[in-house]
Amino acid sequence: MQQPLPCLECCQQSINSETQKRQISTRRRSQSSMMSISSRRSQNGRMWQRSSIYLLGLLTCAVVIVQAFASTSPNNNLPPWGIKPRGGHVGAKKASTSSPSALSMSTAENKDSRNSSEKRVEIPSAVIRPLSDISDSSDEEDAHDFNGASAASVNKAVQPGKAKKTILESGGFADSIIPATYVAETNLPTDIGHFRIRAYRIEEFEAAMREPNPLGAGAGLGSEPCVIYCTDKPPFGSKGGELGGAKEVPVRIHDQCFTSEVFRSRRCDCKEQLKMSLEYIRENGGAVIYLQQEGRGIGLANKVAAYALQDVGLDTVDANTHLGFPEDARQYGVVPSLLKDMGIDSIRLMTNNPRKIERLTALGVDVAGTIPMVVPKANPYNRKYLQTKQDRMNHSNFGDMLINSPDSVISEDYSHADILLYNKKSVAEDYISEGEEMAAAAVAAALMDDPNQSGVVAAENGYCFGRQSVEDAIAAVKRGELIVVVDDESRENEGDFIMAADKCTPEAMAEFIRYSSGVICIGMEGKRMDELELPPMVVNNEDPKGTAFSVSVDATKEHGITTGISATDRAKTSVILANMDSKASDFHRPGHIFPLRAKENGVLTRDGHTEAAVDFARLAGSSPAGLLCEIVSEENPTEMARLPELKRFCRRRGYVLTSIADLQQYRRDTGQ
């Protein structure tokens, strides 16, 4: 059966329905397409953000790596303390330090670097680098004309000329040119003369100064150097022009020594050299450049630690290297800046140190010659230090100075070795590290000789302490010093102070009294005592040792004597007794000085301290009259000091120690 045809209205509705369906489908496809595009754009944006982050991270890493390489590569913008070298002085412990790149990091990064044991590397080896390998901004000449005495130069940085090389030597730090800024100048009246002082500041390095120094706080070059010159002999030269700068100006480059120059320590010769330098420029012109670098650049606290090691026997070089420091960490990179500011082209360096000449020459300073700066005489507390400077640090110009100086002691207070040897308490655990206690004990024991030796026992050659001990004692008496002389163990087994009576001062007498029984005697020849009408104290002498006491005396009031008991009065009486022109009327009896009659031919007739006092005074070229008094024990004040304690006492206080047995053998050998 044939289907009926649809009507027109139905056809129209069908067409509209299909059209709506197509429109809806088209809208849905369009929306889907738009969402797809939006999704792709969103994904692309996120990928770009991630890429940007990655690129930024890579760029940051690249910058850090470049900075690290830059800080380890040679350059002329080193911090004031330079770079610690690899390797050290012979005999130094193997040391490790943070990577040199740590010097360019921030403070926090430095702390992290120091706290990380994984970042520890071996110290670099010493080299001398040509300046051509170094980025140096000082090639351009400074266009300003800096007048050394002009206020116009205030706060203008002084840029030095180009150095020949930057030096990094074994046992020291790298030196590089350091610009300084002139601050001010003023009068400096002193007890030596009238001077002028110019102050400078290393402002460009203040930021680096705030970073931790590799040697610790307080170490390195200070930020405020200064220059001192005599007011009527200014050292300034012309800057520029046909004449050029001043030539061969005497210059002392002096490094701060707080312990010596402020506290008056006798452990070095720094304050004496500074005084000698000021006296020289007062008479001859020139300048003293004063740099703040204590303890050869290691700082005050580290210097005290080095002193503690010297107390148990190490010398100044080994003390530094034992603590992990260079033997000399000083730097002189600021010197060219100061010389240029003063218009000085060449200098004559006041020094005994050839290393200082090499360092300055490497920095471009023209050193035309040197002027020796040698102290007249070493003292017992700096003799070993000066000997080390000569033997191990190549200091020159000393001549016979050390030979003519008294023997060395370890320090003013030798209590470290006393504790180590006698109280069974180790100082090594306090001052020596890494299992070197036995070495410290050996050093101290060797320096103390035999602490169990109870008395004087002569060897086969007749000497106990040796012939040198007698020669040293004679030299000390000649200088007006006290010596300590011990007798035989089978006799009194005591030690006496002895000195030439004609050289006695109130200070020496006070020293006698402080450490002795206080009964001050004077040994004299019998014929001289007869001339002064000094009879025996008693007719029947019952003294077990036969000591020949005479009537005690004081000089009369005409000689300025008051009560006679003071150190000043007893010193005056002693000197007058030793004066060969004195008469019996110059004294009244009794008094506070006890003359003793010595046997003829001295210790070769009687082995007593009386005869030893006369012999030592005569051998020293003085009047044959010697003061003597027994030394009281400090460890047991109710007893007299015996040989083991006397050895320690002499080393602590710098006295020459010898014996009557040594003096007897010396007189036999020499026929004196």
Side-chain angles (χ1 to χ4, degrees), residues 252 269 273 276-277 280 350-352 371-375 397:
R252 165 75 179 172
D269 59 340
Q273 284 193 318
M276 291 166 60
S277 302
Y280 186 92
M350 290 186 264
T351 188
N352 308 314
I371 301 169
M373 280 288 131
V374 182
V375 295
N397 307 325

Side-chain angles (χ1 to χ4, degrees), residues 497-517:
F497 274 138
I498 285 177
M499 79 170 296
D502 59 3
K503 294 184 179 296
C504 185
T505 63
E507 292 76 18
M509 181 60 71
E511 199 170 353
F512 255 105
I513 297 167
R514 178 180 180 184
Y515 299 113
S516 72
S517 64

Side-chain angles (χ1 to χ4, degrees), residues 308-309 311-314 414-432 436-448 451 648:
L309 289 177
D311 287 343
V312 292
L314 276 67
Y414 199 70
S415 59
H416 299 111
D418 289 346
I419 292 172
L420 178 65
L421 294 176
Y422 299 101
N423 294 346
K424 309 302 181 184
K425 179 180 180 294
S426 171
V427 298
E429 61 189 9
D430 296 327
Y431 295 104
I432 312 294
E436 296 187 10
E437 179 175 338
M438 293 179 64
V443 169
L447 292 167
M448 294 296 294
R648 302 192 293 276

Side-chain angles (χ1 to χ4, degrees), residues 92 122 159 289 473 528 532 613 652 669:
E122 191 176 355
Q159 297 290 344
I289 296 176
R528 179 57 180 154
L532 296 178
R652 281 198 302 271
D669 289 348

Side-chain angles (χ1 to χ4, degrees), residues 172-494:
F173 275 11
D175 249 339
S176 59
I177 295 294
I178 301 174
T181 299
Y182 169 73
V183 177
E185 178 175 321
T186 189
N187 289 319
L188 185 69
T190 73
D191 55 355
I192 299 173
H194 197 285
F195 298 90
R196 299 274 293 173
I197 181 169
R198 293 172 62 80
Y200 295 83
R201 186 172 291 124
I202 308 175
E203 292 181 346
E204 295 184 16
F205 284 73
E206 284 187 352
M209 288 285 186
R210 288 192 289 270
E211 294 295 330
N213 190 290
L215 295 183
L221 177 65
S223 61
E224 296 182 335
C226 64
V227 176
I228 303 167
Y229 66 91
C230 188
T231 304
D232 61 355
K233 298 180 179 67
F236 302 102
S238 173
K239 297 173 188 166
E242 297 180 358
L243 296 178
K247 303 292 192 296
E248 299 189 13
V249 177
V251 172
R252 165 75 179 172
I253 299 173
H254 190 88
D255 300 292
Q256 172 184 301
C257 183
F258 194 79
T259 52
S260 172
E261 294 156 8
V262 176
F263 293 135
R264 318 303 293 170
S265 167
R266 302 179 66 196
R267 298 185 72 142
C268 63
D269 59 340
C270 297
K271 66 176 180 289
E272 290 84 359
Q273 284 193 318
L274 179 58
K275 183 173 183 289
M276 291 166 60
S277 302
L278 291 172
E279 290 172 342
Y280 186 92
I281 66 172
R282 179 193 63 197
E283 300 298 327
N284 304 282
V288 173
I289 296 176
Y290 193 90
L291 304 180
Q292 298 168 299
Q293 35 190 359
E294 184 79 27
R296 298 202 301 277
I298 67 174
L300 180 59
N302 291 332
K303 176 182 177 180
V304 172
Y307 274 168
L309 289 177
Q310 293 174 44
D311 287 343
V312 292
L314 276 67
D315 64 30
T316 182
V317 170
D318 287 338
N320 275 29
T321 57
H322 183 92
L323 292 170
F325 303 129
E327 66 178 58
D328 191 342
R330 289 175 292 184
Q331 292 183 273
Y332 301 105
V334 74
V335 173
S337 302
L338 306 183
L339 294 177
K340 183 175 182 181
D341 177 56
M342 294 186 291
I344 296 174
D345 285 351
S346 64
I347 66 172
R348 286 191 298 134
L349 189 62
M350 290 186 264
T351 188
N352 308 314
N353 185 357
R355 177 180 294 171
K356 190 177 289 186
I357 302 170
E358 295 171 3
R359 300 281 289 273
L360 290 171
T361 302
L363 288 165
V365 177
D366 185 357
V367 181
T370 61
I371 301 169
M373 280 288 131
V374 182
V375 295
K377 184 176 68 173
N379 67 61
Y381 310 107
N382 69 13
R383 191 184 192 283
K384 183 176 181 180
Y385 167 75
L386 295 177
Q387 189 76 54
T388 303
K389 286 171 73 172
Q390 176 179 266
D391 295 347
R392 301 192 63 185
M393 303 177 76
N394 300 321
H395 284 222
S396 56
N397 307 325
F398 283 10
D400 295 332
M401 182 270 290
L402 291 171
I403 298 174
N404 298 325
S405 297
D407 283 346
S408 173
V409 293
I410 299 306
S411 69
E412 180 78 19
D413 183 2
Y414 199 70
S415 59
H416 299 111
D418 289 346
I419 292 172
L420 178 65
L421 294 176
Y422 299 101
N423 294 346
K424 309 302 181 184
K425 179 180 180 294
S426 171
V427 298
E429 61 189 9
D430 296 327
Y431 295 104
I432 312 294
S433 61
E434 299 186 8
E436 296 187 10
E437 179 175 338
M438 293 179 64
V443 169
L447 292 167
M448 294 296 294
D449 297 325
D450 182 4
N452 298 315
Q453 183 181 1
S454 59
V456 171
V457 179
E460 293 182 0
N461 63 359
Y463 289 101
C464 175
F465 299 115
R467 175 170 173 164
Q468 186 63 46
S469 71
V470 181
E471 293 174 347
D472 291 344
I474 294 171
V477 172
K478 186 178 294 185
R479 294 191 297 268
E481 299 173 6
L482 281 67
I483 62 172
V484 175
V485 181
V486 293
D487 63 356
D488 192 83
E489 184 175 14
S490 61
R491 196 174 178 273
E492 293 178 331
N493 193 24
E494 293 176 354

Side-chain angles (χ1 to χ4, degrees), residues 516-545:
S516 72
S517 64
V519 180
I520 310 299
C521 302
I522 180 170
M524 301 177 67
E525 293 178 332
K527 60 180 180 180
R528 179 57 180 154
M529 294 182 67
D530 293 339
E531 293 171 357
L532 296 178
E533 300 176 9
L534 299 175
M537 183 178 289
V538 294
V539 175
N540 182 22
N541 189 344
E542 298 178 353
D543 181 79
K545 303 299 180 184

